[in-house]
Every structure is written in C-alpha cells, then in structure tokens.
Amino acid sequence: PERPTGQKSVLGLTTPKMEVVRVGFVGLGMRGPGAVERFTYIPGTQIVALCDYEASRAEKCQDILKKASMPKAAIYSGEKGYEELCKRTDIDLVYIAADWLHHFPVAKCALENGKNVAIEVPSAMNLQECWDLINLSEKTRKHCMILENCCYDWFEMNTLNMAQQGVFGEVIRAQGAYIHNLSPFWDHYWKNGKEDKLGWRLDYNMKHRGDVYATHGLGPVAQALDIHRGDRITTLVAMDTKSVVGKDLVEKRTGEECKEFRNGDHTTTLLRTANGKVIEIQHNVMTPQPYNRLYQLTGSKGFANKYPVEGYALDAAQLTASGVQPKVDDLNSHGFLPQAEMEALVEKYQHPILKKYGEMAKEVGGHGGMDFIMDSRLVYCLQNGLPLDMDVYDLAEWCCLAELGAISMDNGCAAVAFPDFTRGEWNVTKGYKHAYASPEDE
Ligand code: A2G
C-alpha cells in the first residue's frame, strides 16, 4: 500500500530525551515477569503499571517490585485491561509480552494513545498487521520496536561488528533458524478456559502454515546484511515437511483425529536480496533435536558459524588485514581458526554494546544476559533521544515470513515478491549503524 499523503517514514526516528522512562507491562505469563524483574535493574526507569488477563498474575509481579524496594504499580486485568493502561498519561513505553494474538491489538491501542511500544516476538502475525503497525508508527511518530533478543547475544554481536568492519569480505550468504523442541513447553502456554485443550501456541501452529517464528533466526543476519540500510529482500520461496509430531500432539490432547495441522514440522524459507545475497531461515519446534539457531555468515573472505560449535574461518591474509597476526604458519584451510587466533579476533572486535553491558548482563541474566542487554539498550536510546536499534520496518521484514511462506507453499512453493516496507527508502541509510548510535561512540 502507498504511504498516505502527509505521512513520512520513521527511518532513524527519534523522540525527545526522557530522563526517566515510565513503563507499563502488558502480558505477565511466561515471559513478562522476567522483563519486569530486568527493568528493576535498569537505572532511570519507573514501573508504573502491570496488566494481565488474569489479575492474580499481575498482582504476583508486585513481589518483584517489593524485592527491589520499589513502589507498587497500578494493576489492570481482564480482556480489555490494557485499554485502561494505555490511556494513562504517565506512561512513555508499553512493553508487550502477551500471547501472540494479543501483540497487535495491544500495540495498536498503545500507539493510538501516543505511547512508544516494544513488542515481544513475533510482533506482527500477518502482512496486514505489519502494514498497520508501520502506518501507526509513521502517523504517531512513536517507536514500535520488535524485542528480538537474539540480536544481542554475544556471538551475534561480535560477529556483526566483524562483518561491519569487513572482516569477512563481502557477506553473500547467511543462515538462521529457530530449532527448539518445545515438548516441555506446550503444557505451559496459557489456555483460554477448560474448552481449550491445546493452549494458544499449539493452536496457532495448527492453524497457520509458514515460518511463524522467524525472527530469532532472521533478525541477527538481517542486521549483518544491512537490510533496508542499503539492501532489501526481494524474493521469498518456502518449503515445509508434512506435519507428523504436530498432528500427534493435537490428537493426544484432544483424543480426536487431527485432520489438518497447517504448520509443517520443519519449514525452510529462502530469501534473495536486491544486492544478490541469499538468506536461509529454518523453523522446527517439533522434532527431538538439539536447540539450534544455525547462525552462519558466508563471506568472500571469511566465515562465521555459531552452532553447534562457535568458529571463524579466514584466510591468512585477511587475518593479518584484520589486525590479528596469525600465530601459526599453516592455517588449516579445511577447519576453523585455531583457538588463539579466534580469541584474538573476538577480543579485537568485541562489540561496544557488550563492552558496556556484558558484565552486568551476565549477573542479571535472561537467556544468558542478552535479554538484559536488549532492555538496557532500549532504555538508553529513549533516555538519550537516539533512534532505536530495531525499527518498525525491521519488525515487518522479520515477521512477514509467516504469511508470505504460506502463500508460497500453498502455491507449489512459488516465488513470492517481498514487500518493500520502507516504501522506496531502503537505500537511503547506508549501513546498519546501531553499534555506534550512542553519544560517546559516534
Ligand atoms: O523458548 C526460548 O526461550 C525462546 N527463546 C523463546 O522465544 C520461546 O520460544 C521459549 C519457549 O516459550 C530463544 O530461543 C532465544
């Protein structure tokens, strides 16, 4: 859809500096309480309101505030509790960690009430929601951030920094995934009453084809490839296996035959960019296998791989050019760099954000610390009036794989044109710069 007249893009959007960031949390089930706790460690924030469908879950989070010697927050509950929360005039940021189907309605309500929003993944479930969030953010000039924590993990951050400094030459191919056997989790997703035997997440997977959880895999590699900062995804092709485990899960829970489980057990999506790069993204939450985000960059002069073994491969010339003197004469051209070279490389290219928050993050935790780094960066950018690391166009690009993949697969795995969510501005900003988006580093 065309941009409505008078509406401008939010590329590089900034909002006035906030001395204190006043936050309201919506969705306090599995993921929300951890976010509330992390914010109690971030200076210059105030937890104003807590909201969940079930009042008891919101109330329980008061204990977290008490433990941190913080004042009680206002409590909201019920199906429409978030509407009251969003109407408050003393909130700057609505932090959304509800079930997937509530991400969009809560974000829409928050933006319409003039709040900045940060939305857990996936932050939009289909193309309509992607475009609606873009239009809302452009119209209200408020931030709409996707809370993609994997962009802040150690290996991804250091590797991003290396890619930006040209260590791998030109990165031409990237890979990412969400491969996580969710069998211990299915029972714990909120159920909407006794009739609901599946819980929201299994139900969603049953009804939707395509990579419904692409952002852990795509987010970090999209940053490394400067998506909408000089390149853009133009084409998508998807292919899935049939559903075996998914179907079986439903049948065990309902005692009835599952005629159709839309989401294949393993989905692969291929993306091609305007500059001739390829990204491969996979999704599998069903089969028993080790956790894997498949993070991998293939460059003209080097290579990075995270799972199951972290490693880098560079030719000797590139190693020297990157400022790391090879300690061995004969680098094995079939393997990763030896330990000493690898450590020297990681030390030299340690990401500035890790230097700043890494130590504290390991103490506070949240997926090993990356959740805390993500929240700290968000608050830091709001306090300093800086653009956020991830904008609403990132959100749309990373979340639209679900519906586009379904369109591809329902049509014999046909190639599907990928929307330009920036509406012609994907080549305006040159290079992904969030590493340096701080007053000290600029
Ligand atoms: O499992 C992990 O924590 C996932 N995060 C998270 O996204 C969610 O799927 C959860 C199960 O509910 C990562 O893998 C980083």
Side-chain angles (χ1 to χ4, degrees):
E2 294 211 348
R3 179 173 279 134
T5 34
Q7 198 170 292
K8 288 200 189 77
S9 105
V10 282
L11 279 172
L13 177 74
T14 57
T15 48
K17 289 184 184 181
M18 299 171 200
E19 214 166 292
V20 174
V21 179
R22 299 164 301 174
V23 195
F25 289 89
V26 180
L28 297 163
M30 201 188 275
R31 184 97 175 111
V36 174
E37 186 168 11
R38 293 193 299 275
F39 268 75
T40 65
Y41 290 95
I42 306 178
T45 60
Q46 206 179 313
I47 298 169
V48 177
L50 300 166
C51 173
D52 192 89
Y53 185 89
E54 296 184 21
S56 60
R57 305 211 294 193
E59 284 290 352
K60 204 157 177 280
C61 289
Q62 300 280 29
D63 297 345
I64 301 169
L65 305 187
K66 196 171 167 204
K67 200 176 130 220
S69 309
M70 289 181 168
K72 278 191 165 185
I75 298 289
Y76 297 90
S77 62
E79 177 60 42
K80 298 282 173 193
Y82 66 84
E83 289 182 358
E84 296 308 308
L85 179 146
C86 291
K87 279 187 202 143
R88 289 182 69 112
T89 53
D90 59 352
I91 288 179
D92 305 302
L93 173 71
V94 176
Y95 194 107
I96 305 165
D99 61 282
W100 297 354
L101 288 176
H102 281 89
H103 286 175
F104 176 75
V106 179
K108 178 172 188 279
C109 179
L111 285 161
E112 281 171 345
N113 282 281
K115 309 295 188 282
N116 297 291
V117 294
I119 321 170
E120 261 298 346
V121 296
S123 317
M125 304 313 296
N126 52 49
L127 290 164
Q128 187 64 50
E129 291 184 3
C130 287
W131 284 114
D132 284 353
L133 287 176
I134 288 168
N135 280 329
L136 280 161
S137 179
E138 289 182 348
K139 207 165 118 197
T140 61
R141 316 305 295 167
K142 295 292 171 192
H143 295 292
C144 180
M145 173 179 159
I146 173 167
L147 287 165
E148 187 32 78
N149 53 357
C150 296
C151 292
Y152 296 92
D153 211 350
W154 272 253
F155 190 84
E156 285 86 335
M157 289 231 92
N158 289 331
T159 307
L160 173 65
N161 197 24
M162 290 178 205
Q164 289 175 329
Q165 317 283 323
V167 171
F168 311 116
E170 186 172 0
V171 179
I172 54 172
R173 188 181 186 283
Q175 216 173 266
Y178 183 61
I179 296 176
H180 187 189
N181 174 15
L182 289 181
S183 58
F185 290 89
W186 296 120
D187 276 339
H188 303 287
Y189 297 109
W190 184 71
K191 291 193 179 71
N192 193 10
K194 279 206 186 104
E195 304 298 297
D196 179 359
K197 297 202 173 91
L198 303 183
W200 62 261
R201 191 164 182 171
L202 189 57
D203 185 64
Y204 195 89
N205 277 268
M206 181 176 72
K207 291 176 182 153
H208 298 86
R209 203 175 187 185
D211 190 336
V212 292
Y213 212 59
T215 73
H216 285 335
L218 181 54
V221 298
Q223 292 186 335
L225 289 178
D226 291 331
I227 297 303
H228 86 246
R229 284 92 171 166
D231 199 359
R232 81 174 197 88
I233 303 167
T234 53
T235 313
L236 173 148
V237 173
M239 191 180 286
D240 59 5
T241 69
K242 66 177 180 175
S243 163
V244 177
V245 181
K247 248 186 175 172
D248 193 48
L249 280 171
V250 171
E251 291 182 351
K252 286 216 171 82
R253 277 168 171 68
T254 60
E256 287 162 22
E257 188 197 351
C258 173
K259 290 208 178 70
E260 193 184 24
F261 193 99
R262 286 275 286 155
N263 209 268
D265 282 353
H266 198 117
T267 302
T268 302
T269 309
L270 285 169
L271 307 161
R272 199 166 199 281
T273 76
N275 290 344
K277 320 285 181 81
V278 169
I279 306 173
E280 178 178 339
I281 302 295
Q282 299 185 32
H283 176 258
N284 181 343
V285 292
M286 294 297 176
T287 64
Q289 60 176 303
Y291 180 90
N292 198 333
R293 294 207 302 270
L294 288 175
Y295 178 88
Q296 188 183 89
L297 301 181
T298 303
S300 57
K301 294 177 180 170
F303 175 82
N305 182 81
K306 179 163 173 173
Y307 296 92
V309 183
E310 292 185 3
Y312 296 102
L314 297 182
D315 56 38
Q318 188 61 9
L319 200 56
T320 312
S322 307
V324 177
Q325 198 54 50
K327 291 188 183 60
V328 285
D329 297 333
D330 184 22
L331 285 174
N332 173 5
S333 64
H334 294 288
F336 287 129
L337 290 177
Q339 196 65 21
E341 276 77 6
M342 179 156 146
E343 279 168 16
L345 201 64
V346 170
E347 197 182 313
K348 174 153 199 264
Y349 291 97
Q350 193 192 14
H351 197 289
I353 289 177
L354 292 180
K355 269 188 207 147
K356 187 163 172 181
Y357 299 108
E359 230 166 278
M360 173 90 178
K362 281 192 172 139
E363 266 173 54
V364 178
H367 287 103
M370 64 189 185
D371 297 352
F372 180 75
I373 302 178
M374 171 179 73
D375 294 336
S376 300
R377 269 296 292 177
L378 163 61
V379 168
Y380 179 83
C381 292
L382 291 175
Q383 286 171 339
N384 290 282
L386 295 165
L388 302 189
D389 294 341
M390 296 170 284
D391 61 24
V392 74
Y393 309 113
D394 293 310
L395 181 158
E397 285 149 4
W398 305 351
C399 294
C400 74
L401 266 61
E403 187 173 353
L404 292 180
I407 294 171
S408 170
M409 293 185 284
D410 286 343
N411 292 281
C413 306
V416 178
F418 202 95
D420 173 12
F421 291 107
T422 68
R423 294 186 268 218
E425 296 186 35
W426 58 274
N427 207 10
V428 172
T429 309
K430 304 290 182 196
Y432 193 84
K433 292 198 185 70
H434 82 299
Y436 312 103
S438 81
E440 303 110 71
D441 299 325
E442 253 173 10

